[in-house]
Amino acid sequence: MTTVLSNRDRRKRDDRPDGAFYDEPRFVTHADDAFLDRLTALYASVTDPGDRVLDAMSSWVSHLPDADYERVVGHGLNEAELAANDRLDEHVVSDLNRDQSLPFADDAFDAVCCALSVQYLQYPGAVFAEFARVLAPGGTAVVSFSNRMFPTKAVRAWRAASMDERADLVERYLAAGGFPASERIAERPSGDPFYAVVGTAP
């Protein structure tokens, strides 16, 4: 695993612990309906009924299709948001900028989804290595993002980058985690640009 971001690149304008920032729930979506519909369609195309899914850095809605998954686990920073997410079978609360480890066994999931949150990771190489560890061989990681963010909590490298450069960053994150070459999607279904990078666990 390689270090992707320098100390300068991972700097945030608000350097308080993320847990304090996310202490109060925000029952809002962070992209427009066209983006979210496109994301659900992407999830439907890369997952199968019976899959085990980790919704990493999740909130009160997961944007997953109406598929009969074996298990959906949510991970995030706000207990109230995760408890309100009726798509989850279970959830855990942890801050990946303080502890990059995930409390799951090796090969525990067939898909890892990370929607609209990757811009806040300060140690993405270590986090994506964990994604690779908890994914079964051949499992899928889907990282999606748009141009919206909480600018005080996004890392400097993300704030300074164009949309295509942000996709480059995510590809570097995947590579640092041990994922092979990935698929990139860049569309504009409506107002919000839809970007996603899909990786396959070795």
Side-chain angles (χ1 to χ4, degrees), residues 107 128-129 131-133 135-140 174 177-181 199-202:
D107 306 342
F128 277 71
F131 289 169
R133 180 187 66 78
L135 275 171
T140 302
L174 284 162
F179 289 85
T200 303

Side-chain angles (χ1 to χ4, degrees), residues 118-171:
V118 69
Q119 60 266 32
Y120 307 118
L121 287 175
Q122 292 179 291
Y123 303 95
V127 171
F128 277 71
E130 278 290 276
F131 289 169
R133 180 187 66 78
V134 303
L135 275 171
T140 302
V142 182
V143 183
S144 60
F145 59 93
S146 190
N147 55 359
R148 301 194 200 186
M149 70 182 93
F150 296 119
T152 60
K153 299 305 288 184
V155 298
R156 182 189 178 281
W158 193 273
R159 297 194 313 269
S162 68
M163 291 299 293
D164 286 339
E165 289 167 342
R166 290 168 180 170
D168 292 341
L169 268 178
V170 174
E171 290 183 349

Side-chain angles (χ1 to χ4, degrees), residues 45-92:
S45 73
V46 300
T47 62
D48 293 307
D51 277 357
R52 303 157 299 165
V53 179
L54 172 62
D55 187 13
M57 304 177 74
S58 184
S59 64
W60 66 286
V61 59
S62 291
H63 313 298
L64 291 165
D66 186 19
D68 187 16
Y69 296 120
E70 177 182 322
R71 176 188 184 212
V72 180
V73 179
H75 159 277
L77 274 171
N78 187 274
E79 170 70 31
E81 289 185 19
L82 295 171
N85 188 333
D86 61 7
R87 200 67 175 85
L88 305 179
D89 297 307
E90 56 189 278
H91 65 266
V92 296

